[in-house]
Amino acid sequence: MDRRFVSILLGIILILAATNSVDAADLTFPINTIKLEISGKTSGIYPRAERTTIMPLGRGKSSDIECEGISDDAGVLMCLVKSCNVNDPLRNIYQVNFKSPTEFGVVSPAIINIRKCNVTPIPVIAGFMQRVLIAALIKSDQKFIFGKSSSITLAKLAEGVSDVEYSERLNTILRQPLGTFRAQKMRRIVQDASITSLRANDRDTAAVYKRLTTAHANVVFKFSADNIGVDGVKLASPGEMSTLNKNLAVVLQAPRDDGEPIGNFTKVLRNLGAAINQGVLANTELLLIENMAMETKHTM
């Protein structure tokens, strides 16, 4: 074979290889660590925020992204994508977590979307709020959902609140500022109440909280589906596990391209189906559903 032809051919291959990958130095992006008010509006920067873990949501590996360990005095923490293939049609989603400081708690971890080597949003935001504001916000939400103050015992919190009422009120909170964070806090309150009831051998009350936990999962799941335009997810009986199973089937069967947010979760959604069939929603499944809601919220 002619050496000149071989040289030209190798040159073409190298050019093609260059167009199919991106230098990691070009894939740096900032995470801005900011202070938030209850309204969700920015009230300033939060410097020296300590980054802890990087967690892929759906597919991907934590090693795909590398970030500095702490934000600077301007509240900026730099990250980079270590490798990327521009021809990959799938979207990778990652959550960068931060250590909760003494004065401020983490309200919104940084959610990073990468598709064909494009990072969005830019800049990525991680939100922090004073603990006194978080406490006031959660207390207000508890009053709204249960009609009772935080002074009442957890075992009696759900008295007179049906799964339908819980789902309607939680749906309202989800669509307000910081809604996904507030919903997660409410789920933890419900779970704590359920555990308290079981320890007190009050199985009737524990059964009530199990229905509310299932309603919680249904509402947050529908929120994610609504955000990407999947129709047919219903909440006729939000406290029933069968409702969640039907809604899961609707989402899995909905036509989509691989770039859509929930499409990224297809494999783990099937694992969710296995848990539903066993009749138990543990923290793993509830966190999956909440992560989906958090991710779709950032891609609306």
Side-chain angles (χ1 to χ4, degrees):
M1 185 178 292
D2 185 85
R3 289 185 179 181
R4 183 182 176 191
F5 175 77
V6 171
S7 298
I8 294 173
L9 182 61
L10 287 173
I12 292 172
I13 292 172
L14 289 172
I15 291 171
L16 288 174
T19 61
N20 287 335
S21 63
V22 174
D23 188 344
D26 296 329
L27 286 172
T28 59
F29 61 94
I31 294 177
N32 287 3
T33 53
I34 62 174
K35 299 177 184 178
L36 298 172
E37 296 294 339
I38 286 180
S39 65
K41 293 183 178 180
T42 303
S43 62
I45 64 169
Y46 181 62
R48 320 308 293 172
E50 184 178 346
R51 189 265 304 156
T52 54
T53 58
I54 299 174
M55 181 176 66
L57 304 181
R59 72 185 195 104
K61 306 183 298 295
S62 59
S63 59
D64 294 341
I65 294 176
E66 188 174 278
C67 294
E68 295 175 333
I70 193 167
S71 64
D72 62 20
D73 290 339
V76 177
L77 181 147
M78 294 304 298
C79 298
L80 65 86
V81 181
K82 296 177 72 174
S83 63
C84 190
N85 181 356
V86 294
N87 290 329
D88 187 350
L90 294 177
R91 170 180 290 161
N92 294 350
I93 305 109
Y94 304 86
Q95 177 176 312
V96 178
N97 299 309
F98 290 82
K99 181 179 179 180
S100 297
T102 302
E103 182 183 359
F104 287 85
V106 182
V107 174
S108 302
I111 303 295
I112 302 161
N113 292 282
I114 302 173
R115 187 180 186 187
K116 294 185 178 180
C117 299
N118 292 316
V119 178
T120 57
I122 294 291
V124 184
I125 300 295
F128 298 77
M129 184 181 287
Q130 283 183 301
R131 293 188 184 278
V132 291
L133 294 182
I134 292 175
L137 185 62
I138 302 310
K139 183 177 180 179
S140 173
D141 287 344
Q142 180 175 313
K143 179 77 172 178
F144 174 69
I145 286 185
F146 296 105
K148 304 175 182 68
S149 68
S150 57
S151 61
I152 195 168
T153 61
L154 287 176
K156 294 185 178 295
L157 188 64
E159 284 185 350
V161 179
S162 69
D163 56 333
V164 173
E165 291 170 326
Y166 178 89
S167 64
E168 289 173 348
R169 295 166 190 172
L170 181 67
N171 184 59
T172 298
I173 288 174
L174 262 175
R175 298 172 192 281
Q176 292 178 355
L178 310 174
T180 53
F181 165 77
R182 293 159 64 181
Q184 188 177 71
K185 288 291 185 181
M186 193 54 54
R187 188 260 295 174
R188 290 174 180 172
I189 289 174
V190 170
Q191 280 187 309
D192 287 347
S194 178
I195 292 171
T196 300
S197 301
L198 285 172
R199 286 175 177 170
N201 204 28
D202 185 354
R203 298 191 176 278
D204 290 340
T205 303
V208 171
Y209 281 115
K210 182 179 180 181
R211 285 186 65 82
L212 295 187
T213 301
T214 305
H216 182 102
N218 271 306
V219 171
V220 179
F221 192 82
K222 185 177 189 302
F223 175 80
S224 299
D226 288 348
N227 282 351
I228 64 165
V230 175
D231 298 323
V233 176
K234 307 295 183 184
L235 292 178
S237 301
E240 298 292 338
M241 198 77 79
S242 59
T243 299
L244 185 58
N245 200 28
K246 291 176 183 176
N247 289 339
L248 175 63
V250 169
V251 170
L252 285 174
Q253 293 168 11
R256 68 175 72 86
D257 64 50
D258 287 331
E260 289 184 2
I262 288 184
N264 187 71
F265 288 89
T266 301
K267 182 177 179 180
V268 282
L269 282 173
R270 292 195 177 103
N271 293 336
L272 173 62
I276 292 171
N277 289 333
Q278 294 175 6
V280 177
L281 288 177
N283 270 341
T284 301
E285 290 76 43
L286 291 164
L287 284 170
L288 163 65
I289 294 171
E290 288 165 349
N291 283 337
M292 284 170 46
M294 188 179 299
E295 198 280 323
T296 58
K297 175 176 71 80
H298 285 262
T299 55
M300 289 174 63

